[in-house]
Amino acid sequence: MPFRSAGCNPGMEETKEAAWNWADANGLALSPVARKKMLRTRPELWISLIFPEASQQHLDLFCQWLFWAFLVDDEFDDGPAGRDPRMCEAAIARLVDVLDGAEPHGPMEHALEGLRERTCRDRSAVWNRQFRRDTVSWLWTYYAEAVERAAGQVPSRVDFVKHRRDSVAMQPFLDLHEITAGTDLPESARSLPAYIALRNAVTDHSGLCNDICSFEKEAVLGYEHNAVRLIQRDRGYTLQEAVDEAGIQLARITERVQRAEKELIEEIEAAGIDGPVRAALERCVRDYRGLVRGDFDYHARAERYTRPDLVEIDRRDTLSRHFAA
């Protein structure tokens, strides 16, 4: 890991309290099992490592998005909707509709409506299109996985890399970075090849790091959409050999981040970009390094990833009450 840590946002404990208060206010009173899982997940730690300089207001908002996203993730990765494509499709379609302004039903949809309003109301149409696209792409990956599970299929490693770029949910948080950075990139800047490559490399690093740290937990659950598991299957490796290979690939992704940074500076020069847009892109180059490092450090510290022995198998056959209409 060549990138230096920027440390942790000093507002972490305050944002943790704000997140749990927000959950209670939105009717997201977690069961004892779900509460233990969220406490081990520590969303406030990830947010504070990723956004070490964010204001308390932004830190709180982003942590509440992450809290909500982890509830979604646990429901569709571990719960019955991940095994039933029709149940999954209906639930995801409702969340997407609420993101697009439909009337919410149930606590998760009401919570999403509030997050959307607080996040999107003061942003440009360009930013909102990007955030909507990235968030919806993430949500529909759960349906794709549910269908593949039901069909008894596993993706190729090439296809999985593309899928994981959406399913790790990093892209929406790269969009949220613009809020705390005080920037709003125009479409032309978002279309720069090196900017796209940089975002993809940052996202790919997060996805693979997550898979390395999640493998043991997901193996207990019989979850096959994991890069380490796919390497193991495709090459006939032992677990340790597969983990070692994934570690090599992780280092190569770090090199892609560095290469994309250099190419983005070259493209800024070639395109004659200056003023606020140049400053915003340079801010991305600087902050994305800290984001990669913060994500890396988080996975080594949160019990969600360091204690696979604490996994509890979810045997429900219906969606949790938070998702009920």
Side-chain angles (χ1 to χ4, degrees):
M1 171 51 62
F3 305 142
R4 181 176 299 177
S5 173
C8 205
N9 194 298
M12 181 175 70
E13 289 305 316
E14 187 174 336
T15 214
K16 176 182 179 180
E17 182 179 0
W20 285 97
N21 288 340
W22 165 86
D24 289 342
N26 281 274
L28 299 172
L30 275 59
S31 69
V33 170
R35 183 177 179 82
K36 284 192 295 184
K37 184 180 290 186
M38 189 63 75
L39 288 169
R40 292 197 297 264
T41 296
R42 300 186 68 190
E44 73 283 351
L45 175 62
W46 190 84
I47 284 294
S48 298
L49 288 166
I50 295 301
F51 299 114
E53 299 177 0
S55 69
Q56 193 67 53
Q57 178 185 2
H58 289 153
L59 197 71
D60 291 352
L61 174 61
F62 301 164
C63 188
Q64 289 156 29
W65 267 111
L66 186 60
F67 194 112
W68 184 88
F70 272 123
L71 289 177
V72 171
D73 192 65
D74 288 340
E75 184 69 38
F76 294 102
D77 275 358
D78 306 344
R83 303 185 294 272
D84 184 334
R86 289 186 179 181
M87 185 188 300
C88 185
E89 178 187 14
I92 294 298
R94 287 200 304 270
L95 294 176
V96 172
D97 285 347
V98 171
L99 192 64
D100 288 338
E103 181 181 358
H105 301 283
M108 283 295 286
E109 293 179 24
H110 279 283
L112 175 58
E113 180 189 47
L115 291 170
R116 181 203 69 208
E117 175 61 20
R118 291 162 58 202
T119 303
C120 300
R121 62 189 172 200
D122 296 324
R123 303 300 295 174
S124 70
V126 170
W127 186 91
N128 276 304
R129 282 196 299 271
Q130 177 88 40
F131 184 68
R132 192 265 181 198
R133 179 168 62 247
D134 292 338
T135 304
V136 169
S137 294
W138 160 60
L139 286 169
W140 280 114
T141 62
Y142 293 106
Y143 176 68
E145 292 184 12
V147 171
E148 286 185 324
R149 283 196 204 100
Q153 299 173 351
V154 293
S156 70
R157 283 195 293 149
V158 172
D159 289 340
F160 182 71
V161 168
K162 299 175 184 176
H163 169 85
R164 196 70 175 113
R165 195 169 287 164
D166 288 325
S167 72
V168 75
M170 179 62 82
Q171 297 278 0
F173 285 93
L174 295 182
D175 302 332
L176 293 177
H177 166 265
E178 292 186 47
I179 295 178
T180 196
T183 60
D184 200 330
L185 291 169
E187 202 76 71
S188 57
R190 298 179 191 280
S191 300
L192 290 171
Y195 173 73
I196 295 170
L198 178 58
R199 283 179 61 114
N200 286 343
V202 169
T203 301
D204 291 349
H205 192 281
S206 179
L208 185 53
C209 184
N210 183 285
D211 283 357
I212 292 170
C213 295
S214 298
F215 176 77
E216 290 184 79
K217 171 179 75 76
E218 292 174 349
V220 171
L221 298 169
Y223 183 77
E224 296 285 331
H225 287 76
N226 180 291
V228 176
R229 176 60 176 152
L230 294 178
I231 292 170
Q232 190 180 26
R233 287 173 61 101
D234 289 357
R235 300 193 179 180
Y237 280 174
T238 65
L239 170 58
Q240 189 57 55
E241 288 171 338
V243 171
D244 290 345
E245 173 61 25
I248 292 169
Q249 293 181 11
L250 194 67
R252 289 174 180 161
I253 296 172
T254 304
E255 294 171 358
R256 282 173 45 205
V257 172
Q258 295 170 310
R259 184 166 60 251
E261 291 173 343
K262 179 177 180 293
E263 291 174 353
L264 182 54
I265 297 303
E266 293 171 350
E267 290 178 9
I268 290 170
E269 293 288 347
I273 298 172
D274 55 16
V277 176
R278 182 186 184 112
L281 288 169
E282 290 174 344
R283 176 76 183 264
C284 289
V285 169
R286 187 195 83 191
D287 288 359
Y288 284 8
R289 283 184 164 224
L291 192 150
V292 171
R293 176 57 188 263
D295 180 75
F296 182 83
D297 290 345
Y298 165 76
H299 282 90
R301 293 171 62 178
E303 283 190 345
R304 182 184 179 94
Y305 306 101
T306 63
R307 293 292 306 277
D309 55 302
L310 298 177
V311 170
E312 298 183 47
I313 297 176
D314 192 335
R315 302 191 185 281
R316 288 181 291 114
D317 58 4
T318 59
L319 286 166
S320 80
R321 58 188 177 84
H322 302 133
F323 290 81

